[in-house]
Amino acid sequence: MPAFDLPLAELERYRPDPQEPADFDEFWHDTLKEAAQPEVLVSAHPVRTGLRLTETWDVTFRGFAGDPVRAWFSRPAGVRDPLPAVVEYAGYGRGRGLPHERLTWVNAGYAHLLMDNRGQGDQYGNGGATPDPHATAPGGPGPAVRGLLSPHDHHYRRLITDAVRAVTAVRALPGVDAARIAAVGNSQGGGLALAVAGLVPDLAALLATAPFLCGIRRALDLTDAGPYGEIAAYLAVHRGAERAAYDTLSYLEGIAFARRAHAPAHFGIGLRDTVCPPSGAYGAANRYAELSGAAPRKEVHAYPFNGHEGGDAVHVRRQLDWLCDVLDFSPRSG
């Protein structure tokens, strides 16, 4: 697929008008207040993984509406000093999978929490373990359209709340430096990490690659690829539902979360990405932190000949170097 979005020079200047409702802040304040629980952790049980250099726990924490959300928590074996933590969010249709699948961050010396996606896990990877008991509102089978006609019913209201609660959960786990927490994700995970950056004011770092839910209205005009294509397919059947759908999606807009963020940020963008068009990610990066009064460190890495995979392992190496520097972290020193 050749480049199909704006030229790079225009992307670097692209600052779309905010498409967010007047009560955006009130909506998310009330949502998170309702989810607050005095004890976020339900349980944390050590598990055998066959890995000698990593210790892993099967964690359950309270997410949206107090629902139990599963996660894997891992640390380098034998290290007892408090470690900075990476909270990672998985992509669309994925669950937390198996505990030995994602070892990059723990091998770099960090504590690592991988959150399960409620009501997902059946499309890719090795499954999930967190149901979504509230997925009863009208909408199609995919998460992007579940509850599409009301922001209070939409799947991502619950999933974003879970993502914020995951930061609270990792801070409650032993051996974690609560002041040095990074939110990390790719695609849907990148969109969740970006939302967390906008909702958690003391987050230490954000690393978002090909973030979903950024520039949603424009993305719906540019691509039929899923998950945006699932929304378009729903609206093709439910003619006249556009206004309600657009209203709901405005509460989930990643650019709105980006404007409220404070943390240093690292973005990766494939310029031939037809799944999450690059103008959405650039819109979020270019408007990042503009409402927060902060001027955080920010890097954007573009990959002109790559699609949704972006910079792949090359980009991960850049993330590793950047986060180590931002968090002033050397594994050798603990």
Side-chain angles (χ1 to χ4, degrees):
M1 168 62 71
F4 75 106
D5 207 335
L6 300 172
L8 179 58
E10 293 184 32
L11 288 170
E12 291 175 338
R13 301 189 300 269
Y14 181 62
R15 294 173 60 84
D17 292 334
Q19 294 183 339
E20 59 186 63
D23 64 341
F24 182 90
D25 293 311
E26 180 182 0
F27 175 84
W28 283 107
H29 175 271
D30 291 347
T31 294
L32 296 179
K33 183 177 179 181
E34 290 173 12
Q37 300 278 339
E39 296 292 337
V40 65
L41 290 178
V42 176
S43 62
H45 302 296
V47 295
R48 297 183 63 180
T49 63
L51 302 175
R52 294 174 182 264
L53 303 181
T54 301
E55 297 174 326
T56 299
W57 289 260
D58 186 346
V59 169
T60 302
F61 67 90
R62 293 181 176 90
F64 177 87
D67 298 337
V69 179
R70 304 289 288 278
W72 296 123
F73 177 64
S74 298
R75 290 173 46 91
V79 178
R80 295 293 174 258
D81 293 335
L83 295 172
V86 168
V87 180
E88 185 174 2
Y89 305 104
Y92 191 79
R94 293 184 181 273
R96 64 175 182 167
L98 300 173
H100 59 268
E101 288 186 71
R102 300 183 186 229
L103 298 175
T104 297
W105 295 107
V106 71
N107 276 334
Y110 298 92
H112 178 239
L113 186 83
L114 175 62
M115 187 188 84
D116 203 13
N117 289 324
R118 67 164 61 220
Q120 299 189 34
D122 298 321
Q123 291 180 254
Y124 309 100
N126 290 290
T130 303
D132 185 0
H134 307 279
T136 58
V145 289
R146 293 176 191 160
L148 184 60
L149 302 184
S150 168
H152 291 277
D153 294 335
H154 200 277
H155 176 80
Y156 281 106
R157 179 184 181 226
R158 301 186 291 277
L159 193 60
I160 289 171
T161 302
D162 293 346
V164 171
R165 296 288 290 165
V167 174
T168 305
V170 81
R171 285 174 164 159
L173 288 164
V176 169
D177 182 348
R180 291 190 290 175
I181 309 296
V184 176
N186 176 73
S187 191
Q188 174 184 262
L192 293 175
L194 189 58
V196 168
L199 294 171
V200 179
D202 58 348
L203 192 73
L206 162 72
L207 299 97
T209 309
F212 180 45
L213 297 174
C214 293
I216 299 171
R217 291 281 295 271
R218 178 176 170 82
L220 287 169
D221 290 338
L222 287 176
T223 183
D224 282 329
Y228 290 113
E230 296 176 13
I231 299 173
Y234 178 88
L235 294 176
V237 174
H238 299 276
R239 301 165 183 85
E242 294 93 335
R243 178 174 293 182
Y246 289 155
D247 177 67
T248 294
L249 294 169
S250 69
Y251 289 89
L252 311 173
E253 174 58 61
I255 296 174
F257 290 118
R259 298 176 71 214
R260 291 157 171 79
H262 297 74
H266 190 277
F267 290 87
I269 306 168
L271 299 190
R272 301 183 180 218
D273 188 348
T274 60
V275 177
C276 295
S279 54
Y282 268 97
N286 293 339
R287 286 197 169 275
Y288 191 81
E290 68 179 5
L291 295 182
S292 68
R297 174 175 170 177
K298 180 178 67 177
E299 287 187 14
V300 180
H301 294 274
Y303 300 93
F305 292 94
N306 289 100
H308 198 52
E309 81 282 5
D312 206 6
V314 170
H315 187 67
V316 172
R317 178 55 195 266
R318 287 174 169 167
Q319 289 180 316
L320 288 165
D321 291 342
W322 181 85
L323 188 60
C324 184
D325 187 42
V326 165
L327 297 186
D328 190 25
F329 175 58
S330 170
R332 289 187 298 273
S333 68

